[in-house]
Amino acid sequence: MNKSITRGYFITVEGSDGVGKSTQIHNIENYFLKLGYEVQLTREPGGTSIGDKLRDILLDVSNDEMNEMTEMLIYAASRAQHIKELIEPSLKKGKIVISDRYIDSSIAYQGYGRRLGEDVVKIVNEYASFGLIPDLTFWLDLDPELGRKRILSRSIIQDKDVTFDRIELEKNDFHNRVREGYKEIARKNPERVHRIDASLKADDVWEEIELILRKII
Ligand code: TYD
């Protein structure tokens, strides 16, 4: 990859809840803006108005009877819309697309967390994504318990009540399986997925990410 990107570049940021994805996404955005690129930020589930409606269904704590297959298919449905309505058109315009979560989240959360298995999630998502694979993925890795503590302490600092969504409310075992899932994804896709130690201070996390960006873009 050289520094002139003409057909867009697709970056995803992954990790458990509370790992500090938002801060780093903001840093990545600024990195590219300073280099003169157009950037499209987005997130999953969501990114489109249909996706946002699906997001509400997925994260609503009152939907506790949702079957894990239903859950995985709704995430995939939101993704298909997201790609056709926003990601593909942005890449065609030559933009850098940075998505807060993508298919790896479904593999980690539904495949491993919900124990649906990696294979079924992969197959469904091959169709749902029309085969679109990110060019680069940063996996911010942190012990899920530390992530939870960070969410709680952030809410104290900001003096805001913390509300956990349907997925965040899952027990430790679930979140530990999600982390295992990410570990496997990184092991199987070393050329695309970069593990970043998210227990470091935010500035040091950014230093690691920037080093990788400088090498490839
Ligand atoms: P969100 O509030 O965006 O969490 P975060 O800020 O941590 O990204 O909620 C998204 C939740 O949905 C998050 O707990 C992870 C989960 N998720 C899945 O389970 N599967 C998926 O495919 C995606 C995209 C997200």
Side-chain angles (χ1 to χ4, degrees):
M1 189 83 224
N2 62 32
K3 292 206 184 229
S4 62
I5 291 168
T6 50
R7 291 200 335 274
Y9 198 74
F10 185 25
I11 299 175
T12 58
V13 181
E14 295 281 352
S16 305
D17 307 286
V19 295
K21 282 187 283 112
S22 309
T23 308
Q24 300 308 330
I25 285 170
H26 187 64
N27 288 338
I28 300 170
E29 178 189 21
N30 280 336
Y31 173 89
F32 283 106
L33 289 176
K34 275 190 203 144
L35 289 175
Y37 291 105
E38 270 194 89
V39 179
Q40 176 68 57
L41 286 190
T42 189
R43 68 164 180 186
E44 289 200 354
T48 65
S49 65
I50 292 172
D52 282 338
K53 287 180 189 155
L54 297 173
R55 177 186 175 87
D56 290 343
I57 298 172
L58 285 162
L59 301 183
D60 185 345
V61 286
S62 69
N63 284 336
D64 57 358
E65 73 276 27
M66 191 185 292
N67 176 266
E68 57 270 23
M69 183 62 80
T70 312
E71 179 179 288
M72 191 267 284
L73 291 169
I74 301 178
Y75 277 111
S78 161
R79 184 161 298 129
Q81 188 65 28
H82 189 204
I83 291 164
K84 285 297 165 193
E85 203 179 316
L86 187 74
I87 301 178
E88 262 187 13
S90 301
L91 291 173
K92 280 194 186 134
K93 285 182 197 149
K95 292 187 186 180
I96 308 281
V97 177
I98 307 168
S99 184
D100 182 342
R101 303 189 178 281
Y102 189 63
I103 296 177
D104 296 327
S105 281
S106 287
I107 295 175
Y109 282 77
Q110 282 66 55
Y112 285 81
R114 297 282 189 227
R115 294 201 168 103
L116 272 179
E118 193 179 330
D119 291 351
V120 62
V121 181
K122 267 193 169 165
I123 290 167
V124 166
N125 276 280
E126 265 163 34
Y127 287 98
S129 68
F130 311 92
L132 180 69
I133 297 166
D135 296 297
L136 182 65
T137 299
F138 293 108
W139 164 39
L140 305 190
D141 182 28
L142 182 71
D143 179 340
E145 250 182 84
L146 279 178
R148 185 164 286 250
K149 280 189 190 146
R150 277 192 189 173
I151 295 175
L152 290 169
S153 65
R154 232 179 270 153
S155 81
I156 294 167
I157 293 164
Q158 296 170 355
D159 196 22
K160 275 195 217 147
D161 281 343
V162 66
T163 47
F164 288 111
D165 64 44
R166 200 175 58 84
I167 306 283
E168 286 167 337
L169 279 174
E170 283 297 328
K171 306 211 164 30
N172 280 351
D173 282 3
F174 172 88
H175 291 288
N176 288 330
R177 286 198 299 277
V178 170
R179 190 183 192 194
E180 282 308 307
Y182 277 126
K183 234 180 239 175
E184 274 302 291
I185 293 167
R187 192 181 63 77
K188 289 179 183 162
N189 301 275
E191 67 303 326
R192 170 175 69 85
V193 181
H194 295 263
R195 177 191 173 271
I196 306 288
D197 180 357
S199 69
L200 302 171
K201 281 193 299 198
D203 285 352
D204 296 334
V205 171
W206 170 238
E207 217 172 275
E208 277 199 40
I209 292 176
E210 194 181 17
L211 214 69
I212 293 164
L213 287 175
R214 284 225 171 114
K215 267 190 219 152
I216 47 187
I217 299 172

